[in-house]
Amino acid sequence: MQKNILIIGACGQIGTELTFSLREKYGNDVVIASDIREGNESLMNSGPFEQLDATDYDALEELVAYYEIDEVYLMAAMLSATAEKFPMRAWNLNMSSLFNVLNLSKEKKISKIFWPSSIAVFGPNTPRENTPQNTIMEPSTVYGISKQSGERWCEYYHNKYDVDVRSIRYPGLISWKTMPGGGTTDYAVEIYHKALSDSKYTSFLSENTKLPMMFMDDAIRATLELMESNAENIKVRSAYNLAAMSFTPAEISQSITTHIPEFKISYEPDSRQAIADSWPSSIDDSKAQKDWGWKAKFDLKKTTNEMLNNLNS
Ligand SMILES: NC(=O)c1ccc[n+]([C@@H]2O[C@H](COP(=O)([O-])OP(=O)(O)OC[C@H]3O[C@@H](n4cnc5c(N)ncnc54)[C@H](O)[C@@H]3O)[C@@H](O)[C@H]2O)c1
């Protein structure tokens, strides 16, 4: 049966690759990309695009009716570093866009939702190593507070209104097709660009700050696998822990020097250091493995190969 899919925030770091993958899988014309701004040329040329403000319920409802949308992937959000600068704007965007989509489903106008959460739902009191699915959270950032609240509302809408919403706590994502959009793990993308252009990089996180990370191909595959799983296998309706690798700026630098021996890293931690310090350094994703068979494929070595080869071609 054909289903029509809407991606909101399709021009961002994840949305761009998600749009390509969904179009490859289901066909260009059934996957509608939307964003408040236009995306890169290859995205804009790959299928239908609509300008949409995710906080405008009426415009969203109209678009969903017009294209007879069944599934929505809500990728629009303000990310961690930017959200610290604009707390109220972040809260309004992150929460109102989610409520708009949840309410559309409650009204039976769409049947399935993907909404991403983040490792930012955890805070300084969370066990840092191998952070469990269920544990102390207490996020200390604007972004983390919005993601944790979002998780609570997803679970609530599922329990009370039978809304089929699915979510993943993405770690920091590394990709070469689109630049990241204002997060605390952006360094792990910038470093590859700078390694190739300048053979040096100044990290805004300190040498030994270890954070959970994932290559974009794994993140997209996880998203599609979760969305394709039978509903009865999805036992967690807040958001699943997901893991692939954890590393420090020193370790990513070391993996780059195996390809570019002259590469040098230096460290000038800024305000993003405090955000990173409040997050876990590794994640236990055994629940995702058990419920829907998740398994990561990319470690740091493979990620560095992919990043340098693709950015260099
Ligand atoms: N990238 C990561 O490492 C990461 C990690 C954890 C969670 N996430 C989550 O994944 C989702 C996507 O992240 P991303 O990295 O692609 O972000 P991004 O900033 O690259 O992209 C977000 C997109 O949303 C769009 N947008 C902003 N306001 C909008 C509005 N009012 N209406 C419609 N579109 C709007 C932006 O133009 C942008 O294209 C977010 O919810 C983010 O919190 C990302």
Side-chain angles (χ1 to χ4, degrees), residues 8-16 34-37 52-55 74-79 93-94 115-119 143 147 168-174 178-182 185-186 216:
I8 302 172
C11 301
Q13 189 197 7
I14 307 174
T16 300
S34 77
D35 203 292
I36 203 159
R37 61 174 173 111
L52 173 76
D53 178 352
T55 64
L74 172 56
M75 311 312 285
M78 195 184 290
L79 303 199
L93 171 61
N94 295 4
W115 168 82
S117 186
S118 159
I119 55 158
Y143 176 70
K147 289 295 184 187
I168 285 170
R169 291 171 181 152
Y170 288 133
L173 298 182
I174 303 173
T178 313
M179 288 302 281
T185 52
D186 293 7
M216 187 62 84

Side-chain angles (χ1 to χ4, degrees), residues 6-7 24 28 32 57 70 75 86 90 108 121 128 132 172 177 214 246 254 256 280 283 312:
L6 174 66
I7 304 167
E24 198 180 326
N28 289 350
I32 317 305
Y57 183 83
D70 305 296
M75 311 312 285
F86 309 106
K108 307 288 176 220
V121 292
R128 285 181 79 84
K177 286 186 191 156
M214 182 173 280
S246 287
Q254 214 167 30
I256 291 172
I283 298 284
N312 211 11

